[in-house]
PDB file of all heavy atoms in Angstrom:
ATOM      1  N   GLY A   1       0.818  -1.202   0.000  1.00  0.00           N
ATOM      2  CA  GLY A   1       0.000   0.000   0.000  1.00  0.00           C
ATOM      3  C   GLY A   1       0.852   1.252   0.000  1.00  0.00           C
ATOM      4  O   GLY A   1       2.053   1.197  -0.255  1.00  0.00           O
ATOM      5  N   LEU A   2       0.199   2.361   0.297  1.00  0.00           N
ATOM      6  CA  LEU A   2       0.851   3.663   0.348  1.00  0.00           C
ATOM      7  C   LEU A   2       1.114   4.017   1.806  1.00  0.00           C
ATOM      8  O   LEU A   2       0.205   3.932   2.645  1.00  0.00           O
ATOM      9  CB  LEU A   2      -0.044   4.717  -0.298  1.00  0.00           C
ATOM     10  CG  LEU A   2       0.413   6.180  -0.187  1.00  0.00           C
ATOM     11  CD1 LEU A   2       1.719   6.377  -0.937  1.00  0.00           C
ATOM     12  CD2 LEU A   2      -0.679   7.103  -0.729  1.00  0.00           C
ATOM     13  N   VAL A   3       2.341   4.414   2.105  1.00  0.00           N
ATOM     14  CA  VAL A   3       2.712   4.770   3.468  1.00  0.00           C
ATOM     15  C   VAL A   3       3.651   5.962   3.422  1.00  0.00           C
ATOM     16  O   VAL A   3       4.402   6.132   2.460  1.00  0.00           O
ATOM     17  CB  VAL A   3       3.372   3.565   4.179  1.00  0.00           C
ATOM     18  CG1 VAL A   3       4.657   3.150   3.491  1.00  0.00           C
ATOM     19  CG2 VAL A   3       3.596   3.835   5.646  1.00  0.00           C
ATOM     20  N   GLN A   4       3.611   6.789   4.454  1.00  0.00           N
ATOM     21  CA  GLN A   4       4.493   7.946   4.528  1.00  0.00           C
ATOM     22  C   GLN A   4       5.893   7.532   4.966  1.00  0.00           C
ATOM     23  O   GLN A   4       6.061   6.507   5.635  1.00  0.00           O
ATOM     24  CB  GLN A   4       3.930   8.967   5.510  1.00  0.00           C
ATOM     25  CG  GLN A   4       2.639   9.616   5.065  1.00  0.00           C
ATOM     26  CD  GLN A   4       2.208  10.737   5.989  1.00  0.00           C
ATOM     27  OE1 GLN A   4       2.643  10.821   7.143  1.00  0.00           O
ATOM     28  NE2 GLN A   4       1.344  11.605   5.497  1.00  0.00           N
ATOM     29  N   PRO A   5       6.890   8.313   4.604  1.00  0.00           N
ATOM     30  CA  PRO A   5       8.252   8.024   5.072  1.00  0.00           C
ATOM     31  C   PRO A   5       8.290   7.920   6.588  1.00  0.00           C
ATOM     32  O   PRO A   5       7.665   8.716   7.292  1.00  0.00           O
ATOM     33  CB  PRO A   5       9.049   9.223   4.566  1.00  0.00           C
ATOM     34  CG  PRO A   5       8.317   9.665   3.352  1.00  0.00           C
ATOM     35  CD  PRO A   5       6.862   9.458   3.671  1.00  0.00           C
ATOM     36  N   GLY A   6       9.028   6.911   7.067  1.00  0.00           N
ATOM     37  CA  GLY A   6       9.090   6.653   8.499  1.00  0.00           C
ATOM     38  C   GLY A   6       8.037   5.693   8.992  1.00  0.00           C
ATOM     39  O   GLY A   6       8.099   5.235  10.142  1.00  0.00           O
ATOM     40  N   GLY A   7       7.084   5.373   8.143  1.00  0.00           N
ATOM     41  CA  GLY A   7       5.999   4.475   8.530  1.00  0.00           C
ATOM     42  C   GLY A   7       6.376   3.010   8.423  1.00  0.00           C
ATOM     43  O   GLY A   7       7.526   2.672   8.113  1.00  0.00           O
ATOM     44  N   SER A   8       5.376   2.156   8.700  1.00  0.00           N
ATOM     45  CA  SER A   8       5.600   0.711   8.710  1.00  0.00           C
ATOM     46  C   SER A   8       4.529  -0.003   7.900  1.00  0.00           C
ATOM     47  O   SER A   8       3.399   0.489   7.766  1.00  0.00           O
ATOM     48  CB  SER A   8       5.570   0.175  10.150  1.00  0.00           C
ATOM     49  OG  SER A   8       6.589   0.741  10.942  1.00  0.00           O
ATOM     50  N   LEU A   9       4.897  -1.150   7.383  1.00  0.00           N
ATOM     51  CA  LEU A   9       3.964  -2.062   6.718  1.00  0.00           C
ATOM     52  C   LEU A   9       4.408  -3.486   7.018  1.00  0.00           C
ATOM     53  O   LEU A   9       5.603  -3.734   7.233  1.00  0.00           O
ATOM     54  CB  LEU A   9       3.962  -1.864   5.201  1.00  0.00           C
ATOM     55  CG  LEU A   9       3.177  -0.713   4.588  1.00  0.00           C
ATOM     56  CD1 LEU A   9       3.419  -0.685   3.071  1.00  0.00           C
ATOM     57  CD2 LEU A   9       1.693  -0.827   4.887  1.00  0.00           C
ATOM     58  N   ARG A  10       3.455  -4.404   7.003  1.00  0.00           N
ATOM     59  CA  ARG A  10       3.792  -5.819   7.102  1.00  0.00           C
ATOM     60  C   ARG A  10       3.226  -6.542   5.898  1.00  0.00           C
ATOM     61  O   ARG A  10       2.008  -6.552   5.673  1.00  0.00           O
ATOM     62  CB  ARG A  10       3.255  -6.459   8.382  1.00  0.00           C
ATOM     63  CG  ARG A  10       3.786  -7.885   8.572  1.00  0.00           C
ATOM     64  CD  ARG A  10       3.356  -8.528   9.858  1.00  0.00           C
ATOM     65  NE  ARG A  10       2.015  -9.059   9.798  1.00  0.00           N
ATOM     66  CZ  ARG A  10       1.551 -10.042  10.565  1.00  0.00           C
ATOM     67  NH1 ARG A  10       2.358 -10.603  11.453  1.00  0.00           N
ATOM     68  NH2 ARG A  10       0.306 -10.454  10.472  1.00  0.00           N
ATOM     69  N   LEU A  11       4.119  -7.137   5.133  1.00  0.00           N
ATOM     70  CA  LEU A  11       3.718  -7.938   3.991  1.00  0.00           C
ATOM     71  C   LEU A  11       3.535  -9.385   4.424  1.00  0.00           C
ATOM     72  O   LEU A  11       4.264  -9.884   5.294  1.00  0.00           O
ATOM     73  CB  LEU A  11       4.762  -7.863   2.884  1.00  0.00           C
ATOM     74  CG  LEU A  11       5.142  -6.472   2.385  1.00  0.00           C
ATOM     75  CD1 LEU A  11       6.137  -6.589   1.230  1.00  0.00           C
ATOM     76  CD2 LEU A  11       3.922  -5.686   1.965  1.00  0.00           C
ATOM     77  N   SER A  12       2.576 -10.044   3.779  1.00  0.00           N
ATOM     78  CA  SER A  12       2.344 -11.469   4.013  1.00  0.00           C
ATOM     79  C   SER A  12       2.418 -12.220   2.701  1.00  0.00           C
ATOM     80  O   SER A  12       2.093 -11.659   1.647  1.00  0.00           O
ATOM     81  CB  SER A  12       0.973 -11.696   4.647  1.00  0.00           C
ATOM     82  OG  SER A  12       0.849 -11.046   5.897  1.00  0.00           O
ATOM     83  N   CYS A  13       2.837 -13.460   2.763  1.00  0.00           N
ATOM     84  CA  CYS A  13       2.887 -14.336   1.591  1.00  0.00           C
ATOM     85  C   CYS A  13       2.289 -15.671   2.013  1.00  0.00           C
ATOM     86  O   CYS A  13       2.912 -16.417   2.778  1.00  0.00           O
ATOM     87  CB  CYS A  13       4.319 -14.504   1.112  1.00  0.00           C
ATOM     88  SG  CYS A  13       4.515 -15.775  -0.171  1.00  0.00           S
ATOM     89  N   ALA A  14       1.086 -15.947   1.525  1.00  0.00           N
ATOM     90  CA  ALA A  14       0.407 -17.195   1.851  1.00  0.00           C
ATOM     91  C   ALA A  14       0.749 -18.248   0.809  1.00  0.00           C
ATOM     92  O   ALA A  14       0.592 -18.015  -0.398  1.00  0.00           O
ATOM     93  CB  ALA A  14      -1.101 -16.967   1.890  1.00  0.00           C
ATOM     94  N   ALA A  15       1.231 -19.407   1.273  1.00  0.00           N
ATOM     95  CA  ALA A  15       1.623 -20.493   0.379  1.00  0.00           C
ATOM     96  C   ALA A  15       0.544 -21.556   0.331  1.00  0.00           C
ATOM     97  O   ALA A  15      -0.109 -21.844   1.338  1.00  0.00           O
ATOM     98  CB  ALA A  15       2.938 -21.105   0.844  1.00  0.00           C
ATOM     99  N   SER A  16       0.373 -22.172  -0.852  1.00  0.00           N
ATOM    100  CA  SER A  16      -0.618 -23.236  -1.010  1.00  0.00           C
ATOM    101  C   SER A  16      -0.075 -24.577  -0.540  1.00  0.00           C
ATOM    102  O   SER A  16      -0.810 -25.554  -0.482  1.00  0.00           O
ATOM    103  CB  SER A  16      -1.062 -23.335  -2.473  1.00  0.00           C
ATOM    104  OG  SER A  16       0.036 -23.675  -3.300  1.00  0.00           O
ATOM    105  N   ALA A  17       1.216 -24.626  -0.230  1.00  0.00           N
ATOM    106  CA  ALA A  17       1.849 -25.830   0.283  1.00  0.00           C
ATOM    107  C   ALA A  17       2.396 -25.566   1.678  1.00  0.00           C
ATOM    108  O   ALA A  17       2.569 -24.401   2.066  1.00  0.00           O
ATOM    109  CB  ALA A  17       2.987 -26.276  -0.636  1.00  0.00           C
ATOM    110  N   ASN A  18       2.666 -26.632   2.402  1.00  0.00           N
ATOM    111  CA  ASN A  18       3.241 -26.484   3.733  1.00  0.00           C
ATOM    112  C   ASN A  18       4.623 -25.853   3.615  1.00  0.00           C
ATOM    113  O   ASN A  18       5.462 -26.326   2.858  1.00  0.00           O
ATOM    114  CB  ASN A  18       3.336 -27.862   4.402  1.00  0.00           C
ATOM    115  CG  ASN A  18       3.551 -27.749   5.889  1.00  0.00           C
ATOM    116  OD1 ASN A  18       4.330 -26.912   6.339  1.00  0.00           O
ATOM    117  ND2 ASN A  18       2.869 -28.577   6.650  1.00  0.00           N
ATOM    118  N   THR A  19       4.841 -24.784   4.343  1.00  0.00           N
ATOM    119  CA  THR A  19       6.107 -24.064   4.202  1.00  0.00           C
ATOM    120  C   THR A  19       7.311 -24.876   4.687  1.00  0.00           C
ATOM    121  O   THR A  19       8.441 -24.536   4.365  1.00  0.00           O
ATOM    122  CB  THR A  19       6.060 -22.721   4.942  1.00  0.00           C
ATOM    123  OG1 THR A  19       5.578 -22.923   6.265  1.00  0.00           O
ATOM    124  CG2 THR A  19       5.153 -21.733   4.212  1.00  0.00           C
ATOM    125  N   VAL A  20       7.083 -25.942   5.421  1.00  0.00           N
ATOM    126  CA  VAL A  20       8.222 -26.782   5.813  1.00  0.00           C
ATOM    127  C   VAL A  20       8.764 -27.555   4.612  1.00  0.00           C
ATOM    128  O   VAL A  20       9.851 -28.122   4.672  1.00  0.00           O
ATOM    129  CB  VAL A  20       7.855 -27.766   6.941  1.00  0.00           C
ATOM    130  CG1 VAL A  20       7.451 -27.023   8.189  1.00  0.00           C
ATOM    131  CG2 VAL A  20       6.786 -28.737   6.493  1.00  0.00           C
ATOM    132  N   SER A  21       8.008 -27.557   3.497  1.00  0.00           N
ATOM    133  CA  SER A  21       8.467 -28.233   2.285  1.00  0.00           C
ATOM    134  C   SER A  21       9.403 -27.359   1.460  1.00  0.00           C
ATOM    135  O   SER A  21       9.890 -27.791   0.409  1.00  0.00           O
ATOM    136  CB  SER A  21       7.267 -28.645   1.426  1.00  0.00           C
ATOM    137  OG  SER A  21       6.622 -27.515   0.886  1.00  0.00           O
ATOM    138  N   PHE A  22       9.647 -26.143   1.943  1.00  0.00           N
ATOM    139  CA  PHE A  22      10.554 -25.250   1.223  1.00  0.00           C
ATOM    140  C   PHE A  22      11.912 -25.213   1.902  1.00  0.00           C
ATOM    141  O   PHE A  22      12.021 -25.139   3.120  1.00  0.00           O
ATOM    142  CB  PHE A  22       9.990 -23.830   1.185  1.00  0.00           C
ATOM    143  CG  PHE A  22       8.658 -23.711   0.503  1.00  0.00           C
ATOM    144  CD1 PHE A  22       7.630 -22.996   1.087  1.00  0.00           C
ATOM    145  CD2 PHE A  22       8.429 -24.305  -0.733  1.00  0.00           C
ATOM    146  CE1 PHE A  22       6.401 -22.881   0.463  1.00  0.00           C
ATOM    147  CE2 PHE A  22       7.205 -24.203  -1.352  1.00  0.00           C
ATOM    148  CZ  PHE A  22       6.186 -23.488  -0.754  1.00  0.00           C
ATOM    149  N   LYS A  23      12.950 -25.269   1.098  1.00  0.00           N
ATOM    150  CA  LYS A  23      14.300 -25.147   1.628  1.00  0.00           C
ATOM    151  C   LYS A  23      14.536 -23.725   2.119  1.00  0.00           C
ATOM    152  O   LYS A  23      15.146 -23.512   3.162  1.00  0.00           O
ATOM    153  CB  LYS A  23      15.319 -25.510   0.547  1.00  0.00           C
ATOM    154  CG  LYS A  23      16.761 -25.406   1.005  1.00  0.00           C
ATOM    155  CD  LYS A  23      17.703 -25.911  -0.072  1.00  0.00           C
ATOM    156  CE  LYS A  23      17.743 -25.013  -1.266  1.00  0.00           C
ATOM    157  NZ  LYS A  23      18.770 -25.432  -2.253  1.00  0.00           N
ATOM    158  N   SER A  24      14.086 -22.774   1.360  1.00  0.00           N
ATOM    159  CA  SER A  24      14.261 -21.379   1.743  1.00  0.00           C
ATOM    160  C   SER A  24      13.078 -20.578   1.234  1.00  0.00           C
ATOM    161  O   SER A  24      12.407 -20.970   0.271  1.00  0.00           O
ATOM    162  CB  SER A  24      15.554 -20.803   1.168  1.00  0.00           C
ATOM    163  OG  SER A  24      15.490 -20.718  -0.245  1.00  0.00           O
ATOM    164  N   MET A  25      12.844 -19.454   1.894  1.00  0.00           N
ATOM    165  CA  MET A  25      11.853 -18.487   1.434  1.00  0.00           C
ATOM    166  C   MET A  25      12.489 -17.117   1.509  1.00  0.00           C
ATOM    167  O   MET A  25      13.367 -16.867   2.354  1.00  0.00           O
ATOM    168  CB  MET A  25      10.583 -18.550   2.279  1.00  0.00           C
ATOM    169  CG  MET A  25       9.879 -19.897   2.223  1.00  0.00           C
ATOM    170  SD  MET A  25       8.257 -19.892   3.023  1.00  0.00           S
ATOM    171  CE  MET A  25       7.278 -19.059   1.751  1.00  0.00           C
ATOM    172  N   ALA A  26      12.059 -16.240   0.627  1.00  0.00           N
ATOM    173  CA  ALA A  26      12.726 -14.948   0.533  1.00  0.00           C
ATOM    174  C   ALA A  26      11.760 -13.892   0.012  1.00  0.00           C
ATOM    175  O   ALA A  26      10.697 -14.200  -0.527  1.00  0.00           O
ATOM    176  CB  ALA A  26      13.937 -15.043  -0.390  1.00  0.00           C
TER     177      ALA A  26
END
């Protein structure tokens, strides 16, 4: 989204598979 300088955001990434099946995420 849009945020002012100095502000905060939290991004999420929902996976369709169990994340333990991934060697790495980035």
Side-chain angles (χ1 to χ4, degrees):
L2 173 64
V3 62
Q4 293 187 340
S8 298
L9 280 176
R10 188 176 80 156
L11 305 183
S12 299
C13 171
S16 62
N18 196 318
T19 49
V20 298
S21 69
F22 300 133
K23 180 174 69 174
S24 67
M25 298 189 77

